[in-house]
Amino acid sequence: MRATLLMMALCSAGMAMQALGAESDGVAFDAAPGVPVRARMLDGGRVEVRIGKDAALQLLDGVADEEGRSRLDHEDVDFDGVQDLVVRASVGQVNEAVAVYRYDARTARLQPLAPPTGTPANCDGLWSLSVDAPTRTLVSTCRGGPMWYTDFYRYQGEKLYLYRAEQLLMLDPQALAAVLALDEGGDDAGPLAVWTTFDAAGRALERAIGDGLSPPVSGVPLRGRNARVVPTRLALYSAVGDASTPRYLVAGDRVELLDERDGWLQVRYRNPTRGPVTGWIRLALPEQG
């Protein structure tokens, strides 16, 4: 009798372990009120999904690592109050590919969330995706060579658009030091980059030059790196390419770095009597003839 009970207990434990293993490869959640979703991984990163009370079958491409594996999760990625299917896979040593699928009530199927194309985003797709719920922002981060890049996305209605991105600056350190002394950025300061905030139509709303490895806080206006003017007099032009100007900065004036274009830097000087003054300086000083 004891042997029989022991055998039954071992069989029950084995079945429980098998069930636990099966559940560890899948997720279950409600994609909408009264719409249960169960998903499990298949070979090659593909995902089998059962949708609704009738368990309608749908197969998704998903993403996969070099061994064809992926991880399933669910999260409210579009801030509509219900969960979305999230598939993640490690690619290379540091990057994480991400695929997101949202429930479409019109088709009763899961549809992929695709980032907009034709934008200045640095990451091709969604990578190491994180959700910033308080600001309703998606943060995509990827590494290319020695540099980490960050793209921010937001929604206008159901449309996902690029909200903020960076452009790495390749400045000549000697030419920069000849005109501006940057404030200390700390031991972990990265290379300079122009951060740009866009509206849903792709128009630039603001720009500022900051640390390319320290993404700005989402939902807060951009603030550029501060610097001190080095030359005795530094011409402040109204536009890139201007040949003359009546405005000058002097040694010791403090400016905020805003933008870069063709070897020119846009800066903001806060005049104590006239308020903020914006203009362009030549990064490379003219050669002395």
Side-chain angles (χ1 to χ4, degrees):
M1 182 67 176
R2 290 181 179 179
T4 301
L5 292 176
L6 178 59
M7 183 63 67
M8 293 175 61
L10 290 174
C11 291
S12 298
M15 294 174 62
M17 290 298 292
Q18 291 179 357
L20 181 61
E23 284 296 311
S24 67
D25 291 337
V27 294
F29 60 94
D30 286 343
V35 183
V37 170
R38 295 184 65 86
R40 71 182 185 92
M41 296 185 304
L42 301 177
D43 292 339
R46 302 191 72 196
V47 183
E48 178 191 274
V49 180
R50 298 285 181 172
I51 305 172
K53 296 179 180 179
D54 57 352
L57 175 64
Q58 183 179 359
L59 297 177
L60 306 174
D61 291 335
V63 291
D65 61 17
E66 295 179 353
E67 298 181 2
R69 298 174 303 185
S70 58
R71 302 181 300 278
L72 298 182
D73 199 356
H74 57 89
E75 191 170 5
D76 184 5
V77 175
D78 54 6
F79 312 107
D80 62 354
V82 294
Q83 299 291 290
D84 307 296
L85 179 63
V86 182
V87 189
R88 300 177 182 270
S90 299
V91 179
Q93 296 181 344
V94 293
N95 285 315
E96 180 187 62
V98 180
V100 176
Y101 297 91
R102 302 182 298 171
Y103 179 70
D104 183 357
R106 293 166 295 187
T107 61
R109 296 174 69 83
L110 298 183
Q111 302 293 345
L113 174 64
T117 59
T119 71
N122 288 283
C123 303
D124 183 15
L126 301 176
W127 295 84
S128 301
L129 189 70
S130 62
V131 178
D132 184 359
T135 63
R136 301 173 68 86
T137 304
L138 304 183
V139 184
S140 174
T141 304
C142 63
R143 181 171 177 174
M147 181 68 181
W148 282 97
Y149 298 96
T150 303
D151 301 316
F152 295 81
Y153 292 92
R154 284 187 173 180
Y155 291 91
Q156 184 180 64
E158 294 186 357
K159 176 186 176 183
L160 189 68
Y161 71 93
L162 182 66
Y163 157 67
R164 185 171 283 172
E166 63 179 310
Q167 177 188 356
L168 185 65
L169 295 183
M170 305 299 291
L171 301 177
D172 182 341
Q174 293 183 344
L176 178 61
V179 293
L180 295 175
L182 297 179
D183 283 0
E184 293 295 330
D187 296 336
D188 297 329
L192 295 177
V194 178
W195 290 92
T196 305
T197 303
F198 302 93
D199 65 11
R203 294 183 292 259
L205 301 178
E206 59 175 349
R207 289 188 174 93
I209 296 177
D211 187 344
L213 295 181
S214 297
V217 178
S218 180
V220 176
L222 293 173
R223 294 181 62 89
R225 187 86 171 266
N226 293 319
R228 175 177 51 81
V229 173
V230 173
T232 302
R233 284 208 320 170
L234 181 62
L236 184 65
Y237 298 92
S238 297
V240 173
D242 282 357
S244 62
T245 177
R247 302 187 300 172
Y248 287 87
L249 299 170
V250 299
D253 282 345
R254 301 189 62 76
V255 296
E256 180 186 2
L257 307 186
L258 302 179
D259 199 2
E260 186 273 342
R261 193 175 306 161
D262 300 327
W264 295 66
L265 287 179
Q266 187 182 44
V267 300
R268 179 186 291 124
Y269 168 63
R270 300 190 181 278
N271 190 296
T273 57
R274 299 180 182 178
V277 176
T278 301
W280 293 84
I281 63 174
R282 294 186 63 175
L283 183 59
L285 294 178
E287 294 181 3
Q288 300 298 321

